[in-house]
Amino acid sequence: GSEMCIRDSARFARFVLFSLTQMNGEDLAPFEMLSLKVNQTDLGLLVGASRPKLNRILQEFREQGVLEQDGNVWRCNVTALRQLAEE
């Protein structure tokens, strides 16, 4: 069960990092802002996770201080995302 979640978390972390580098280039600051105009269902489709699973990942990331959501804008902890992406 939970190792499956780690893989999904890693995939989602990679997706966020990819989105950040698309917008800001390779040289990311420790914290970057990401504006996502997609809803959670679409987001789930993008990373291959169901909406409930994505919900859990987002909640986990928020609890761990990886992401802070402010409306459509997320403050992303790039360092933490990189660690998660490698799991």
Side-chain angles (χ1 to χ4, degrees), residues 63-74:
E63 284 167 7
Q64 294 166 0
V66 180
L67 295 176
E68 283 175 43
Q69 200 169 354
D70 183 14
N72 273 342
V73 179
W74 301 11

Side-chain angles (χ1 to χ4, degrees), residues 21-70:
T21 44
Q22 291 293 95
M23 283 167 31
N24 305 303
E26 291 293 328
D27 198 18
L28 295 176
F31 286 91
E32 291 279 1
M33 305 308 251
L34 177 61
S35 173
L36 280 183
K37 298 279 187 285
V38 292
N39 61 35
Q40 286 193 2
T41 309
D42 292 341
L43 210 49
L45 289 171
L46 284 170
V47 296
S50 64
R51 193 192 155 122
K53 193 177 283 174
L54 186 70
N55 253 322
R56 272 204 306 279
I57 294 170
L58 286 172
Q59 192 174 340
E60 222 168 82
F61 279 18
R62 281 196 293 262
E63 284 167 7
Q64 294 166 0
V66 180
L67 295 176
E68 283 175 43
Q69 200 169 354
D70 183 14

